């Protein structure tokens, strides 16, 4: 009788336990996104005629749009890195101040030829009046994925005296729980990263969707790639994509180079770190 009673009690407790709310993964309330926008157009007057402009006026058009959260709650080092990524500014104390300085840039400050012509005046204008002109555009966004904040910046830059414009992409991933920036070496062992990336180009099918990804690489980079300019993690946390901006490893005409590294492939290479396994929910 006692044995039957104990079995009944155990079964009752087991059923009750199954009906209890199960612990849920920690969820984080998304950070509110703010839009920081700025636009300035002004005209420079030079003392002498600019041959490629065929006049002594040079217009400048600067614009930025950032869809980011407030950086007030981030550690100072993370704030500085994000400001530098957005505006290539290492000295401004705030994102707003860096934006104001960006809008004032002429993009001829370091060009000896333009400096020799001499800039004699500067005045604001409502829109570009003379072509060609200098311009810079910054667009930035952030994607929130639980504890990971994916910051991205795309820049386009055109100089009146250059044969073509240029562009670049930048990215930073922040662990919201610590406020720290996640580096690639936090996720995978980056010893021999150049050879690992070449193996990915050769072995991962998605890297061949547009033909031979090494076609534009110079001979030195066919042997070993340098550290990438940046990387991103997809929304399903199933792949890392490393990237190189134009001119980093191949010519302007070939564009940027992207290297997909699926997490399943990385696991086979035995390069995931303990933190990387946690991020990608792999077994420790």
């Amino acid at each position: 009788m006692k044995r039957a009673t104990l079995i009944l009690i155990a079964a009752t407790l087991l059923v009750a336990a199954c009906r209890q709310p199960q612990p849920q993964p920690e969820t984080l309330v998304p950070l509110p996104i703010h839009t920081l926008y700025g636009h300035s157009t002004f005209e420079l007057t030079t003392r002498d005629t600019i041959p490629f402009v065929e006049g002594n006026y040079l217009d400048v058009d600067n614009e930025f749009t950032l869809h980011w959260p407030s950086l007030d709650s981030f550690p100072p080092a993370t704030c500085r890195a994000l400001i530098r990524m957005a505006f290539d500014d290492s000295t401004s104390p705030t994102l707003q101040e860096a934006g104001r300085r960006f809008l004032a840039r002429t993009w001829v400050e370091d060009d000896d030829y333009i400096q020799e012509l001499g800039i004699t005046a500067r005045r604001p204008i409502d829109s570009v009046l003379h072509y060609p002109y200098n311009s810079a555009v910054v667009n930035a966004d952030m994607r929130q994925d639980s504890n990971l904040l994916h910051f991205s910046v795309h820049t386009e830059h055109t100089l009146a005296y250059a044969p073509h414009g240029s562009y670049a992409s930048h990215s930073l991933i922040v662990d919201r729980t610590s406020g720290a920036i996640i580096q690639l070496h936090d996720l995978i062992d980056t010893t021999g990263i150049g050879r690992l990336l070449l193996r990915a180009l050769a072995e991962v099918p998605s890297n061949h969707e547009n033909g031979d990804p090494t076609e534009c690489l110079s001979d030195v980079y066919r042997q070993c790639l340098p550290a990438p300019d940046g990387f991103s993690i997809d929304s399903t946390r199933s792949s890392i994509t490393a990237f190189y901006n134009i001119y980093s490893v191949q010519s302007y005409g070939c564009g940027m180079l992207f290297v997909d590294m699926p997490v399943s492939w990385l696991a086979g290479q035995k390069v995931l770190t303990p933190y990387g396994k946690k991020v990608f929910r792999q077994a420790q």
Side-chain angles (χ1 to χ4, degrees), residues 213-233:
T214 65
E215 182 179 5
C216 285
L217 294 177
S218 63
D219 290 341
V220 63
Y221 292 133
R222 290 175 185 268
Q223 304 302 317
C224 184
L225 285 167
D229 293 326
F231 71 95
S232 62
I233 299 174

Side-chain angles (χ1 to χ4, degrees), residues 186-188 237 263 267 270-284:
D186 295 322
L187 302 171
I188 64 175
R237 298 197 187 188
V263 173
K270 302 186 185 305
V271 295
L272 288 172
T273 66
Y275 179 75
K277 292 177 181 178
K278 180 179 179 181
V279 167
F280 298 117
R281 306 180 182 95
Q282 297 290 307
Q284 295 288 331

Side-chain angles (χ1 to χ4, degrees), residues 23-284:
Q24 298 297 318
E26 181 182 1
T27 57
L28 297 170
V29 176
L31 294 175
I33 300 297
H34 308 285
T35 298
L36 184 65
Y37 175 79
H39 185 205
S40 70
T41 310
F42 52 92
E43 189 171 82
L44 305 174
T45 303
T46 59
R47 182 181 60 250
D48 299 319
T49 299
I50 309 172
F52 37 79
V53 177
E54 298 180 353
N56 67 328
Y57 295 101
L58 181 62
D59 292 350
V60 181
D61 191 354
N62 297 327
E63 184 175 10
F64 66 80
T65 305
L66 277 65
H67 301 293
W68 279 4
S70 170
L71 304 185
D72 293 343
S73 62
F74 291 87
T78 301
C79 288
R80 287 194 296 271
L82 288 169
I83 293 171
R84 184 168 59 252
M85 182 176 75
F87 295 116
D88 192 24
D89 186 327
S90 301
T91 60
S92 291
T94 66
L95 192 64
Q96 290 76 9
E97 175 60 25
R100 285 191 288 270
R101 294 184 183 182
F102 168 84
L103 294 178
R105 291 287 305 274
T106 65
W107 313 107
V108 299
E109 299 94 328
D110 300 323
D111 190 276
D112 294 336
Y113 181 68
I114 296 294
Q115 290 294 340
E116 289 177 3
L117 294 177
I119 296 174
T120 59
R122 170 177 175 159
R123 70 182 184 93
I125 52 179
D126 294 331
S127 60
V128 171
L129 301 175
H130 297 90
Y131 296 82
Y133 61 96
N134 287 359
S135 71
V137 179
V138 172
N139 288 300
D141 292 287
M142 190 202 74
R143 173 170 57 87
Q144 306 188 57
D145 172 16
S146 184
N147 66 310
L148 299 186
L149 305 176
H150 304 254
F151 291 85
S152 62
V153 172
H154 181 76
T155 62
E156 296 184 11
H157 192 196
T158 302
L159 297 179
Y161 45 85
H164 54 70
S166 63
Y167 61 90
S169 292
H170 311 277
S171 66
L172 280 179
I173 302 176
V174 176
D175 187 328
R176 184 176 171 184
T177 56
S178 66
I181 294 172
I182 299 176
Q183 307 287 353
L184 189 57
H185 62 72
D186 295 322
L187 302 171
I188 64 175
D189 181 358
T190 54
T191 303
I193 184 64
R195 290 183 290 277
L196 178 70
L197 289 166
L198 283 176
R199 283 205 303 276
L201 287 176
E203 298 174 9
V204 175
S206 61
N207 289 322
H208 294 266
E209 290 179 352
N210 297 314
D212 181 3
T214 65
E215 182 179 5
C216 285
L217 294 177
S218 63
D219 290 341
V220 63
Y221 292 133
R222 290 175 185 268
Q223 304 302 317
C224 184
L225 285 167
D229 293 326
F231 71 95
S232 62
I233 299 174
D234 72 320
S235 60
T236 63
R237 298 197 187 188
S238 61
S239 183
I240 296 175
T241 298
F243 63 83
Y244 296 88
N245 281 306
I246 56 173
Y247 296 124
S248 289
V249 294
Q250 55 190 24
S251 66
Y252 179 90
C254 292
M256 296 175 60
L257 176 65
F258 297 90
V259 186
D260 291 338
M261 295 183 289
V263 173
S264 57
W265 182 84
L266 288 169
Q269 305 299 313
K270 302 186 185 305
V271 295
L272 288 172
T273 66
Y275 179 75
K277 292 177 181 178
K278 180 179 179 181
V279 167
F280 298 117
R281 306 180 182 95
Q282 297 290 307
Q284 295 288 331

